[in-house]
Amino acid sequence: MLLIKSVLVLCSAVAVLAQRHAYSDADAVASAALFFGEDTTESLDPLKIFKDPINHATAVSSILAFSADKTGFKPSEKSAESLTETLPEFITKVTSFPGFILVSSSESGAVQLKDHTTAEEFENKIRDMIDSDHSRKIAFKLAELLPLDLDYEEATRLKNWILSLVVIDKPKGSNEVSIQLVSMKLSIAFDKEPKTCSGPTPTPEAYIPEQTTKILVSKLDVVSPFLVAHAESLVGLLPIVDVERMIALITSPARNGPEPEDLLSLWASQQKVFSF
């Protein structure tokens, strides 16, 4: 048992080190989260959240929200630049939780992007290179995170981005929960004076330049018996945060829409259990 635990810790450490290396020269992070399947949570009782596997979607979202809060990874309220320091710490916190087991960590093949790749082309390009049953929706969400609304000053200062996505999956008819941590590095450039042969002069804009990148995917299985066995201890440590609020907590302000409300401040100031 000790040997198995040591191997799992080593695998987790290798995955974290690989992601840390990928983030080492990043200037900014855009983050989001997704939930797939069925949230069967049916109780507001904190003990039952961890004690009953039917509520484990909320148990997992609470652990993720706690990890984000403790490491300062707060995309909904902090600048994209500051997240380069806290994202690796968040990944470390999540992957080291004893109730999560790292079952795989993979890199895609080379993702080759042409100069001025559009968001739609980007989505289509990466869709089949993501190691997930939900690759289509994950690709769509990553495309939504593209920072193509940057102005000249921002694009000059923030050239290297990490697109980060946390995915929770709880299949319908099952109480098993898994997590995927998806990320990729992307360079952004800016056309200060776009060239045109005819017609009106194009508006200066950020764009995806020619580059080769890759997609990192780490999958964690949630050990349901651990959550059940340690329910009382977990209740004493963690505020309860439902799936919807967890997603808002670790999602960067919408690049094309209203910004999410400051939910972390709300979380800190109110009771431990939110209404679902």
Side-chain angles (χ1 to χ4, degrees):
M1 179 63 70
L2 181 60
L3 176 60
I4 293 174
K5 184 176 181 180
S6 298
V7 170
L8 291 173
V9 170
L10 177 60
C11 291
S12 177
V14 170
V16 170
L17 286 173
Q19 295 201 2
R20 279 184 178 276
H21 177 72
Y23 305 151
S24 60
D25 62 347
D27 299 314
V29 172
S31 171
L34 290 170
F35 178 84
F36 294 112
E38 183 179 19
D39 182 359
T40 53
T41 301
E42 59 181 20
S43 175
L44 295 177
D45 184 334
L47 186 60
K48 290 183 180 179
I49 292 295
F50 296 100
K51 202 77 171 176
D52 189 343
I54 200 170
N55 301 317
H56 279 179
T58 296
V60 171
S61 67
S62 299
I63 295 164
L64 291 172
F66 177 82
S67 299
D69 186 45
K70 285 299 180 182
T71 58
F73 183 66
K74 305 176 181 180
S76 63
E77 65 176 37
K78 290 196 173 182
S79 68
E81 298 100 304
S82 69
L83 301 179
T84 60
E85 298 292 331
T86 56
L87 175 58
E89 301 304 322
F90 170 68
I91 297 297
T92 300
K93 191 74 170 176
V94 171
T95 56
S96 64
F97 178 68
F100 297 159
I101 294 180
L102 181 71
V103 293
S104 66
S105 185
S106 62
E107 295 183 359
S108 71
V111 180
Q112 297 181 335
L113 303 173
K114 67 179 183 179
D115 199 34
H116 285 81
T117 293
T118 66
E120 182 178 1
E121 291 170 337
F122 171 83
E123 179 185 344
N124 292 335
K125 186 75 174 181
I126 67 174
R127 180 184 300 144
D128 296 330
M129 305 190 76
I130 298 172
D131 183 17
S132 171
D133 294 336
H134 307 291
S135 59
R136 180 177 294 274
K137 291 182 179 179
I138 290 174
F140 178 80
K141 179 57 70 172
L142 288 172
E144 279 192 334
L145 290 177
L146 290 171
L148 299 180
D149 61 343
L150 300 176
D151 60 28
Y152 175 70
E153 187 278 328
E154 291 174 319
T156 302
R157 181 167 47 88
L158 308 176
K159 294 180 179 180
N160 298 312
W161 284 73
I162 296 295
L163 307 184
S164 175
L165 193 58
V166 176
V167 180
I168 300 178
D169 189 11
K170 183 182 178 297
K172 291 184 178 180
S174 171
N175 286 329
E176 295 184 359
V177 186
S178 64
I179 303 166
Q180 284 186 308
L181 306 174
V182 183
S183 64
M184 67 182 301
K185 183 186 292 185
L186 193 73
S187 295
I188 297 296
F190 194 85
D191 271 336
K192 189 175 182 181
E193 296 180 357
K195 296 178 175 62
T196 181
C197 296
S198 61
T201 302
T203 302
E205 59 183 12
Y207 68 95
I208 301 172
E210 181 179 359
Q211 62 191 283
T212 300
T213 184
K214 60 187 175 183
I215 304 165
L216 305 179
V217 179
S218 296
K219 182 180 178 182
L220 301 141
D221 279 348
V222 177
V223 185
S224 183
F226 179 90
L227 302 186
V228 173
H230 298 277
E232 292 185 4
S233 296
L234 289 166
V235 168
L237 289 172
L238 310 179
I240 302 302
V241 180
D242 63 65
V243 171
E244 183 178 353
R245 288 181 178 274
M246 182 280 299
I247 289 174
L249 290 172
I250 62 174
T251 295
S252 299
R255 309 210 70 85
N256 295 295
E259 296 187 1
E261 63 181 306
D262 185 359
L263 292 172
L264 273 175
S265 295
L266 179 64
W267 175 28
S269 64
Q270 295 195 3
Q271 297 178 356
K272 292 181 67 174
V273 181
F274 288 100
S275 58
F276 293 172

